[in-house]
């Protein structure tokens, strides 16, 4: 998606920056902020854990607050993420609730053909108490277009 980076103002944050260290060395996570469109995208590879999901939740909210966004969207690229453990599932439900409470109006998932990971994402959203718009996509481009139309 290099064409997105050329056309849209975008900043990169790295989970392994000086501020935060990766707890799980197998996980690589990147957060991209599309400021003009009020969209935050995260992508991760491998296995995640409670600490990393908590960091992600806090970081998403911090970015939205620093930008003074009353309403914003989140694209979660889980296409290279392994299915999560039960203890991580409960924290992901908290993430859904917390981002919604802090102005997230749309949530789009970019998924692989792994139906188990896709089903987990749907279950987390259903268990949460949010009413934000949600949709699942095969590509970032599809997710980005949908979010722009629905934000």
């Amino acid at each position: 998606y290099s064409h997105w980076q050329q056309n849209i103002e975008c900043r990169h944050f790295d989970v392994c920056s000086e501020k935060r260290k990766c707890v799980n060395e197998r996980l690589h996570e990147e957060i991209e902020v599309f400021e003009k469109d009020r969209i935050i995208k995260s992508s991760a590879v491998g296995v995640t854990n409670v600490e990393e999901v908590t960091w992600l939740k806090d970081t998403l909210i911090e970015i939205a607050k620093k930008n003074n966004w009353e309403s914003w969207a989140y694209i979660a690229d889980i296409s290279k993420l392994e299915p999560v453990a039960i203890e991580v599932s409960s924290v992901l439900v908290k993430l859904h609730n917390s981002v919604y409470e802090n102005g997230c109006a749309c949530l789009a998932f970019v998924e692989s053909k792994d139906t188990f990971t896709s089903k987990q994402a749907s279950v987390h959203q259903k268990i949460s108490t949010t009413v934000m718009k949600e949709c699942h996509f095969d590509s970032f481009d599809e997710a980005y277009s949908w979010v722009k139309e629905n934000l």
Side-chain angles (χ1 to χ4, degrees):
Y1 44 50
S2 60
H3 66 282
W4 287 107
Q5 294 172 354
Q6 292 170 4
N7 295 331
I8 298 170
E9 190 175 324
C10 177
R11 276 199 328 244
H12 295 273
F13 297 83
D14 186 1
V15 143
C16 297
S17 69
E18 295 172 11
K19 291 166 70 173
R20 301 277 182 166
K21 273 189 127 182
C22 288
V23 176
N24 181 342
E25 295 299 327
R26 293 177 296 162
L27 181 80
H28 172 74
E29 178 144 1
E30 183 176 84
I31 295 178
E32 297 177 75
V33 180
F34 301 89
E35 292 178 17
K36 287 182 186 176
D37 295 318
R38 297 173 292 138
I39 297 170
I40 304 171
K41 175 192 173 248
S42 72
S43 55
V45 177
V47 178
T48 192
N49 60 41
V50 169
E51 292 81 11
E52 290 164 349
V53 173
T54 301
W55 177 88
L56 176 62
K57 172 185 63 76
D58 294 344
T59 303
L60 293 171
I61 293 167
E62 179 183 341
I63 292 167
K65 284 183 177 183
K66 282 185 177 180
N67 284 292
N68 297 313
W69 293 339
E70 290 181 23
S71 175
W72 52 282
Y74 174 42
I75 299 173
D77 184 343
I78 60 170
S79 62
K80 296 179 183 167
L81 192 64
E82 297 294 322
V84 298
I86 292 169
E87 63 272 10
V88 177
S89 284
S90 63
V91 179
L92 283 165
V93 171
K94 288 179 187 174
L95 180 146
H96 288 244
N97 289 333
S98 295
V99 298
Y100 175 72
E101 290 165 2
N102 284 277
C104 184
C106 295
L107 174 57
F109 292 96
V110 178
E111 302 169 332
S112 66
K113 301 298 179 199
D114 181 350
T115 57
F116 188 75
T117 304
S118 300
K119 286 183 189 213
Q120 278 188 317
S122 293
V123 167
H124 297 148
Q125 179 62 17
K126 286 176 186 160
I127 293 172
S128 75
T129 58
T130 70
V131 291
M132 70 179 139
K133 297 174 186 173
E134 175 200 351
C135 208
H136 300 253
F137 300 93
D138 292 329
S139 75
F140 170 73
D141 290 350
E142 291 172 320
Y144 197 91
S145 294
W146 179 83
V147 165
K148 280 185 71 170
E149 290 172 17
N150 286 278
L151 185 58

